[in-house]
Amino acid sequence: MNIVVKTAGGAVIVRPDTTWERDNEDVFLPEFVTRVSCAPVLFARISKPGRSVSAKFADRYYDGIGYGALLYPENMIDGSETGFACASCIDHTSFLPFPVYSKETLGRANNRFCMELDGKRIYETEGSAERTVIEKAIEEATRFCYIRTGDILAIELEARKEILTRPEEGASCTLTGSYCGNTVLDFKVIL
């Protein structure tokens, strides 16, 4: 199982399954991580394998959706391809909570995703995310890689924002998020 990510910049990358955190457990990042950023994501559970899937048929390739967050150790991202690749492999940094929602929940005005950092809102959808966003992302991702049943496709909804720095031991923050009036994210990031 892989996590295929369409970044806010439009690139397609793959995170290993060791980065997946589905139970909202607190994350303790290694000592070499001094700055952490976060990107909110819309994700889909892949239900059918495929390659070079047209957006017209992409609806057949996923069966559930959700909202989550990807964490990045910002001090590792030095502008090189190697730095970004290494930053995308840190364990327990892909918060994609299960169970997932029916894809029919997308596009309904009352089904907003909101994310807060220490109680302050840092991201909110307009409640109008459409299935076409996922279907276009499936088309783009399958140009580069083969998707398999059980993979997750995550679409960054905006660019990374720095959420925490390590001025001293024990720095932490809490990320929470809700969708359809239910809590989907609730965890601490601890440096």
Side-chain angles (χ1 to χ4, degrees):
M1 192 282 294
N2 288 310
I3 302 166
V4 180
V5 179
K6 182 177 176 218
T7 67
V12 175
I13 64 166
V14 178
R15 284 179 163 222
D17 60 0
T18 57
T19 68
W20 188 21
E21 177 53 57
R22 64 175 143 191
D23 297 324
N24 279 318
E25 292 184 17
D26 295 346
V27 61
F28 295 84
L29 294 170
E31 288 182 16
F32 61 82
V33 176
T34 59
R35 294 184 357 253
V36 181
S37 64
C38 174
V41 294
L42 167 63
F43 69 91
R45 180 178 57 199
I46 302 300
S47 59
K48 181 179 177 181
R51 176 133 175 86
S52 299
V53 176
S54 165
K56 180 178 177 182
F57 302 107
D59 181 65
R60 302 175 186 175
Y61 288 82
Y62 69 104
D63 62 1
I65 64 97
Y67 284 90
L70 300 180
L71 301 180
Y72 292 91
E74 210 50 48
N75 59 291
M76 293 177 71
I77 302 174
D78 59 5
S80 71
E81 295 167 356
T82 304
F84 190 80
C86 291
S88 298
C89 292
I90 302 291
D91 290 348
H92 303 285
T93 55
S94 301
F95 284 82
L96 308 169
F98 270 50
V100 292
Y101 289 82
S102 166
K103 54 188 173 182
E104 283 72 28
T105 62
L106 289 173
R108 294 186 184 161
N110 295 332
N111 294 346
R112 295 176 173 260
F113 171 63
C114 301
M115 192 162 73
E116 295 182 349
L117 174 65
D118 291 332
K120 181 181 177 186
R121 186 157 293 160
I122 60 171
Y123 181 80
E124 182 175 9
T125 65
E126 296 296 321
S128 61
E130 297 181 20
R131 292 165 60 165
T132 55
V133 171
I134 292 174
E135 292 158 12
K136 184 70 176 159
I138 288 173
E139 179 180 60
E140 292 172 19
T142 60
R143 287 179 51 225
F144 299 101
C145 62
Y146 181 77
I147 56 173
R148 300 172 297 169
T149 303
D151 284 353
I152 298 170
L153 172 70
I155 304 150
E156 291 183 351
L157 300 171
E158 68 177 22
R160 304 182 312 269
K161 289 182 184 175
E162 194 164 307
I163 60 169
L164 186 62
T165 59
R166 183 191 299 268
E168 58 188 62
E169 279 301 312
S172 69
C173 65
T174 301
L175 275 173
T176 57
S178 62
Y179 179 61
C180 292
N182 300 310
T183 299
V184 294
L185 295 173
D186 189 4
F187 64 93
K188 276 187 154 180
V189 180
I190 303 163
L191 295 179

